[in-house]
Amino acid sequence: MNKVPVMVLRNKSNPDRYLAASMDVGDWDDENLDVTLNDIQNAYMVVRKDLSRPTAADFEEHKALHAKWKQVLIEKYGENACISLDFEGVCEHYEPVNIEITQDQYNYSKDLAE
């Protein structure tokens, strides 16, 4: 079975848990809605278009895009803008790690992202 390399965000204080892609697919038994490896297809993922292994540079690019989007929202709606995913805050509590998932898990996660 083909494996797909992805980057997920592991909880720094609970390394068995990973940031969920959204609250809709989070584990409601966890106070942070974080998921486990058993449900890793529900995790927030960084994936390269060519499906090669994500790098630290990919993560930094991803982080920069979130920062730009946050700035756009603040400029448009002010300092009290609703930011659904404050990636700066996420990075304080989560760290990027590379793992491999199955093609089926990748397809599911791709559907979640769309």
Side-chain angles (χ1 to χ4, degrees):
M1 179 175 269
N2 290 340
K3 296 284 188 168
V4 178
V6 299
M7 185 177 285
V8 293
L9 300 175
R10 182 172 54 200
N11 188 314
K12 290 178 181 178
S13 63
N14 189 353
D16 293 331
R17 293 287 183 158
Y18 303 85
L19 182 69
S22 74
M23 62 188 287
D24 294 330
V25 295
D27 180 355
W28 285 85
D29 290 330
D30 183 77
E31 66 181 313
N32 298 314
L33 301 179
D34 291 345
V35 298
T36 64
L37 281 176
N38 291 336
D39 295 314
I40 201 67
Q41 71 277 1
N42 294 331
Y44 184 91
M45 295 183 196
V46 175
V47 182
R48 292 181 58 105
K49 288 181 183 179
D50 64 3
L51 298 184
S52 63
R53 182 183 169 100
T55 65
D58 294 320
F59 180 74
E60 290 303 320
E61 180 179 324
H62 194 79
K63 194 172 166 181
L65 288 172
H66 275 282
K68 285 180 186 177
W69 178 243
K70 180 179 177 180
Q71 188 59 41
V72 166
L73 291 175
I74 290 171
E75 287 173 4
K76 186 169 183 173
Y77 299 107
E79 288 296 322
N80 294 322
C82 180
I83 313 286
S84 61
L85 178 63
D86 184 354
F87 208 70
E88 288 175 297
V90 165
C91 292
E92 291 175 18
H93 303 282
Y94 294 84
E95 60 188 348
V97 295
N98 287 89
I99 64 168
E100 291 184 334
I101 59 174
T102 67
Q103 187 67 46
D104 288 341
Q105 289 171 314
Y106 169 73
N107 292 340
Y108 181 86
S109 69
K110 186 176 174 187
D111 287 343
L112 278 180
E114 293 174 351

